[in-house]
Amino acid sequence: MSLPATAMGALAAILIMALVTYLTRAGGVFVMSRVPIGPRVERFINAMAGSVLVAVITPMAVQGDWGARLALVATLGVMLTTQKALAAIAAGIVTAALWRLWL
């Protein structure tokens, strides 16, 4: 499938991606509403969240520039010291932005 490189093509791509995202999330809720949540399933869900996070972060740490690496370090440091996710995310964003601004 090919979309034209016009404003309508971009809008169509955005709408298609939004629909796929919605169906994925709604499908997950639908499937999990039929699965009994026992200790084993709960452990799986908790472990899966960490696995997805590592799968997203690892390529940035390996293939990213120093701005990305420093942002990861800043995020980790703030998260370990404050236990506040929003502050850690903000620290990572600010670190990457400052690194790219200065270099």
Side-chain angles (χ1 to χ4, degrees):
M1 179 174 152
S2 177
L3 295 173
T6 63
M8 289 305 290
L11 182 61
I14 291 169
L15 291 174
I16 290 168
M17 289 186 288
L19 178 65
V20 169
T21 300
Y22 173 76
L23 290 175
T24 301
R25 299 205 45 137
V29 170
F30 177 76
V31 169
M32 288 309 293
S33 70
R34 282 145 177 71
V35 175
I37 306 293
R40 185 174 178 190
V41 173
E42 189 172 349
R43 281 194 314 270
F44 171 76
I45 292 170
N46 290 334
M48 185 59 71
S51 299
V52 170
L53 185 62
V54 168
V56 170
I57 289 175
T58 302
M60 278 185 10
V62 172
Q63 297 174 345
D65 64 347
W66 279 103
R69 291 183 184 120
L70 289 175
L72 291 172
V73 170
T75 303
L76 178 64
V78 172
M79 190 64 193
L80 290 175
T81 56
T82 66
Q83 297 292 314
K84 296 188 184 305
L86 190 57
I89 292 168
I93 291 170
V94 168
T95 302
L98 290 174
W99 176 268
R100 291 187 175 112
L101 176 70
W102 290 331
L103 293 177

